[in-house]
Each structure stands twice: as structure tokens, then as C-alpha cells.
Amino acid sequence: MSVITRAEPGARTKLPPEQPSIPQRKGGTAGYWLYLLPGFVLLLVIVIIPLIFNIYLTFTEWRGVRTPEFIGLENWFKIFTDEDFWTSFTNSVWMVLAMVVIPTTIGLIVAALLFDVVGRKFGGKVGSFLRATYYLPQILPIAVAGIVIGWMFRPGATGSVNQMLAVFGIPAYDWLGQMPSALLVLMGVLVWVQLGYPIVVFMAALQRVDPELYEAAELDGANWFQRFSAITMSIIRPEIFVVTLTCTIAALKVFGPVYIITQGGPAGATLVPAYYAYTEFFTKRNIGYGATIATVLTVLVVVVSIIFIRVQNSMERKERAGL
Amino acid sequence: MARFTRTNGRRGLAAVGALTIGALALSACAGGSSDGGDGDTLKLWHYEGEDSAMAKAWNEAIAVFEEETGATVEFEQKSFEQIQKTASQVLDSDAAPDLMEFNKGNATAGFLASTGLIADISDAVDEYGWADKLAPSLQTTAKYSEDGVMGGDTWYGIPNYGEFVGVYYNEDAFAEAGLEIPTTYDEFVDVLDAFVAQGITPLAEAGAEYPLGQLWYQLALAQADRQFVNDYQLYENPVDWQGPELTAATETLKEYVDKGYISSDVSSVKAEDAGVSFINGTAPIFVSGSWWYGRFVEEAGFDWSLQAFPDSKLSLGSSGNLWVVPENAANKELAYEFIDITMRPEIQAIIGNNGGVPVAAEPADITDEKSAELIATFNGVLDNDGLSFYPDWPAAGFYDVIVRELQGLVTGTQDVEATNANLGAEYEEGTADFR
């Protein structure tokens, strides 16, 4: 365990003797900044400048060509009374449920089962095969998956889902054309696509667990759930944080599946912020308002990320302190 | 409210712009541009499918052009969506073509015209005499005001073809059901009832794309006069969204779903699926555009006909898409020469004989009987001054709004009044700059 020491004011901090020091050029570390320059230029070009320009656009009315017209806070005031905006952010909660809560929960259980039960009883190869099976939707391009899903859920007797239901005497239903079902189908697709990611990450994390821990716990009379909560959950907690954070960001800015499968319909039932910003940008040419929605989304993603990282750091500190 | 002045805006943008240009310079791909400007190359973009009547005619026009001028045509096939969504950015750069096909209407060609991205071609129109070949109602969508409102006095495009929305009838299905093709609206409704009574959903429809919105607007046109169209499309007067035309349209559409004339599953159906359900004989009636005509000739294995919507003097329709010349085009003169070739009778005849609706063909050149029938129906609409454009034209993005609101109506989540109120609010917002 590392010991944190505080340097006396005015004293020069020295590296501990066991830590090798990086050979220094004469003239200090200035030369190393040269190597960071390409990365910084790319960051500037791809992220920082567009972000600044995007924020500037939120104060303008612009149709995409010629000079934007400055309109102050009009776009920001409009957002508060825009029902579509609030609908899209409400739908984001459903997207978080479909892309974070459900896949992470199921992923945890499946990964633990594959490692603790399947892996031990049937060997590692079976576990690996099943893991690959769960991961398959992740490598499928969402455009392809979306088109196939669209065909499956076609209304009337032409959709394969309705054809299967007809076998059991269940009448055809317009899955993507009715209000609750379109959102549920979209969420189902997202769960299916997303599930492989936590499973693969969690199973990789579980490689760190000594199988003897499970065996010892089993000998002590611990059932599967006790082993899962005491061993699995405890050891892979950092990975749970990473998966939850990355999936939450993905859920907040989800676009592809909505664009391909429902286009926000029916009647805005599956509208999400990224798709809403896209339509304002490209179909209505309300670039300023689209930029405002995108900026809100960016702020939300940044805030969520900061909260996650702070909570994670706090928990790690508590863990190190033995609390 | 204080406005950011043009000068200040430019200064403010200058810093960001300089950085952005630097950034783009770093990230620019290596391909060189073929600006032309040498008078030897015509850079041409259009998005018509290879088998369409227009593409066939224009391919021939390219051959004639190259032979007559000695210049080369550098053609790039684009998609409709691609040009629709990126045209303003491309035309604002030096990558603009010399000649491009573009969608007509206020929110599209009108928008480009108002921003100065496409050229005022009035002088070329006078020089080549194109105005004499185009009926007045076809000229409406080719001429725009300085605000980009169609029907203005400045030419920004030239159409080669026309289009309109009518009613396709599967005559075999009618015969089998013992029914006559309707000639009045009352007979039309009687036929719908008769098909429903026989367990057949009569109307092929699609709520996820344009067909349902077009039927809705057609139902409004059936109650409307030319002034309503001018108010709705040209902003001459405010539109009453709870008025008789639009209330009747929305109520009737809802009634069509409730009575089973349209499937209750319509909201997620795409246009292609609706067209296919007519082609495969599932639905005997399809209210849609002349752009399906060629395909039905090829694929429908039964007798069918296309007629204007019964008892309605006004029909959806307009000139076809336009040839526009970008302001940044390097070879404008070549572009005008190409447009002129596409207006020749022999090129127009290719459109007419392949299921299209030419605007300047010699009647004697139309040898295909079915095509002659289509052109005669279109000319009947023209003679009545019946072309009334499309419901989504008045405002950018209004297409998505119509789809969304009518989905709300047919799925029962909102009533007629709320649907019209929502449509009206979006219409007002989208057209505020023009009125």
C-alpha cells in the first residue's frame, strides 16, 4: 500500500529512491511538450474549436449559410417551453434503462454464472463460446440490425413477429406504429445490442478472481448469491463503474437505432435529444436551436461523467481506508 | 432586443473561422477539386434512378451535349437525401457543380435562392425562350421572390417534367368486386364502403412517410379554392388551422381510419410498402403521385388507371424537380446549353414514353398509349389551373411535423382539434420569416 507523504513548505520534493527517475535532458522537460503537440492540435481541432463554435451558435439564429444572426438567449428560453425537448429528455431516461440498468444487471448475473457455474462445470471453452454469442450483436452494424428489426416488426401479416404470434392465434399488431410498443421494441433492441459489452468486460475482470476463493466460500456454506455479492461484486466494482459510465454516455447520446428503426415516431414517442438536435439542424435548418439542444446534451454528459468519477474515487478512497 | 450587427458578427466569427480554416486545412483530404472553368467540362449532379424516365432522357441529353459542344460531362450520381441535406454547404464552397437537380419549393430551392447560393437565370430564360415552353402553373415553382417564396418574378430553375397526385384504381379488383370506377366523391366513398363490406381494406396508405400527408392535403384541397392554396403556400393571408378546409381534411382522415378504409396499422407503414400493396393487389386503390406510374406499368400484373381525385378541381402537384445553376458554378454557359438540350422535343419525348410527364413534348412524339393517357390526365389538371403543390412545402422541416402529427391522429393519441392546433403552431413558427 502506498503511503502519502506531505512535503514541508519550501522543501524540495525528492522521488523515493526505489522509483526510477526519467532521464532528464539539460534544460528540463520542455522538450517533451513537443510530443504532446499533435494530440493537443487534434483535440483543439476536433473538440475544442467546434465546441466553442457550437456554444456561440446557441446565441444565434442561423440557417447554415451566410452570417448567423445574434439573438441573445432566445434559444435558451425556448428550450424551457419546448414540449418536444422535454419529451426527448424523458425518453433518455428510458434509454438509460435499456442501455445501462438492464444490460449491466443482466450482464453481471450472466458473467458470474458463466464464470462461476458454467466455466467450472463445463470448462472454459463453453463459457468463452457463450460469451462470444452474447457479444455478437455488438459487432453487427446498427444500420443492418435496425433494418432487420424493422422487417421483423412490420405491421400486418408481413412481419415475422406477427407471423410467429399468428401461430398462437394472437392477432397482428403494429409494433413500431403504436405508442407504448414502439418505445418498448426500441428498448428491447438496445438491451439486445448492449448486453454483450458488460458481459465481456465483467468476464475479463473475473479472470482476476482466484477460483479458490469461490471454492473456499462454497466449503464455508455460501450459496451462489452470497458468493456473487461477496466475491464477484466486490472484485469487479471498478469495471462496473466503467461500464455504467460509458453506457450512460452512450444512452444519453443514442442516435443510430432511433434514426434507423423509428425516426422518433410514432408522433414523437421515441424522440431522443440527439435525434431531435439532428432534425433541427438538418431538416428544419434551425442551426442555433439544434446547437442549443446539443450543448445541453454535452453539459449533461459532462456532469454525469464528473459525478460518476467522483463517486468512484470516493468509494476507492473509502476502500483503501478500510471503511 | 439588441441585434448582433453584421460587422460585429463577422469580427466575432473571424477568430473562430481562422482557427477552423486552419483546422480544416490540417484535416482536409487529399483529393484535388476539378473546378473546371475551362469551358470544356460540365460538372453535373442529379439523383434520378438509372431506370427512371428522367435519367433515360438526360443520359441521351448528355450524349447530344458532348457531341454538339465537344465538352465533356462529368456526371456524379447523388441521392435525393444527400443533396437535400448537404446542398447549402456544398454550394457555399468551391466544390459546387455547374448544374444540379434540386427539389422545388420554398423550403428547398426557395431557400437556396434567398441565400444567393443558386444563380438568377432570368437572362438565360429570355435568351433560350424556355418560358414559352412552360405553362404558367409550372413556372410558379421555378420563380422565386428575394425572400425565397415561389411565384416570384426571378427565375432560379427550369423543370423538365411535371408531376401530380391522383387516384390509382386496380380495375381488375373493381371488376371482381362488381364495382365501377367512381367519378364523384360520393361514389368514391360508396366504393370504399363496398370494399370494406367485402373484408378488403381499400386504400393503400403509409403513415411513416409522405402518402398519408398527401391524402390529408388532398382532402383539404377537395374543400378549397385557389385562394386557400395561395394562403397556405404563398403566405398571401394567414391560414385558419381550425377552418373548414383543414378541419374537414383531418376529420375525414380520422374517419377513413375509423371506418376501415385505411388500415389501423398505417402509422408505421412506409411509402414503398403502400406502393407494393397496390402492385400485389392487396389494396385496390392508391392515392399517390405520377412518379409511381412507370413502376406500375412494369410491375402491376393487372389493368389499372390513374385519375384525378374525384370532385376536386385542385390536385397536389407541380413541376418536377428543377435544374439549378449554383452561383459558384465555373461553367454557367455550358449549364444553360445543357438545360436547353433537355427541353428539346426529342429529349422530352423520352420522358413521355417512359412513364414521365414531359413539360414541352410534341403530342405526336408520345407513341406509348399508356403514357399518352397519363399526359392527358396531367394536362387536364393543368387546364383547370389545378396544381396545388405539396403540404410540406411552406416551411423547412414541415414534412416531419405532418408525419408526426398525423401519426398522433391515426393512433388515437390526439384528436382532430389538437392535431390541427399542433400543425398550425409549427406552420406559424416555420413560416414566420416569410410573412
Side-chain angles (χ1 to χ4, degrees), chain B residues 186-266:
Chain B
D186 288 341
E187 287 176 14
F188 181 71
V189 173
D190 289 344
V191 162
L192 297 176
D193 280 326
F195 274 119
V196 170
Q198 293 182 27
I200 296 167
T201 303
L203 285 169
E205 262 308 335
E209 290 179 347
Y210 65 83
L212 195 67
Q214 292 193 345
L215 175 61
W216 167 78
Y217 185 59
Q218 180 61 68
L219 291 168
L221 292 178
Q223 307 293 321
D225 57 15
R226 177 53 63 179
Q227 188 58 51
F228 169 84
V229 176
N230 289 349
D231 294 345
Y232 185 95
Q233 302 281 355
L234 307 178
Y235 325 123
E236 286 185 2
N237 294 295
V239 174
D240 182 359
W241 282 86
Q242 303 295 343
E245 300 89 353
L246 294 168
T247 300
T250 313
E251 274 176 355
T252 308
L253 193 66
K254 178 73 179 152
E255 205 175 282
Y256 277 20
V257 178
D258 292 342
K259 288 187 171 177
Y261 301 163
I262 296 173
S263 164
S264 58
D265 290 348
V266 72

Side-chain angles (χ1 to χ4, degrees), chain A residues 216-245:
Chain A
E218 211 170 352
L219 286 173
D220 288 342
N223 61 25
W224 182 83
F225 182 74
Q226 286 168 325
R227 296 200 304 275
F228 172 74
S229 56
I231 302 172
T232 310
M233 288 284 285
S234 161
I235 288 178
I236 67 172
R237 188 179 294 153
E239 283 78 8
I240 295 174
F241 265 109
V242 169
V243 165
T244 310
L245 175 61

Side-chain angles (χ1 to χ4, degrees), chain A residues 173-192:
Chain A
Y173 187 72
D174 186 12
W175 297 97
L176 296 172
Q178 295 295 330
M179 286 301 197
S181 60
L183 186 62
L184 289 173
V185 169
L186 184 65
M187 287 172 68
V189 172
L190 292 173
V191 170
W192 170 68

Side-chain angles (χ1 to χ4, degrees), chain A residues 11 21 39 42 49 59 84 125 140 142 168 187 199 214 220 230 269 303:
Chain A
S21 63
L42 284 176
I49 293 172
F59 304 108
D84 289 337
K125 283 187 178 174
L140 211 63
I142 192 63
F168 303 102
M187 287 172 68
I199 289 176
Y214 284 114
D220 288 342
V303 168

Side-chain angles (χ1 to χ4, degrees), chain A residues 45 49 53 56 61 63 65-66 68-71 78 84 154 156 174 177 179 266-268 278 283-285, chain B residues 1 3-4 13 16 19 23 85 88 92 107 111 115 265 267-268 273 397 400 404 407-408 411 413 426 429 433:
Chain A
V45 167
I49 293 172
F53 190 55
Y56 160 72
E61 185 180 332
R63 299 179 77 190
V65 288
R66 303 298 185 249
E69 185 185 1
F70 188 74
I71 57 167
K78 183 182 169 186
D84 289 337
R154 277 165 90 155
D174 186 12
M179 286 301 197
Y278 163 82
T283 60
K284 289 190 174 178
R285 290 200 202 93
Chain B
M1 180 175 290
R3 297 278 180 189
F4 202 47
L13 280 174
V16 177
L19 286 168
K85 292 204 160 60
S88 54
D92 209 19
F111 167 68
T115 55
D265 290 348
S267 69
S268 65
D273 294 328
D400 291 335
R404 188 186 68 202
Q407 280 179 329
T411 54
T413 54
E426 295 274 1
E429 187 186 334
D433 288 346

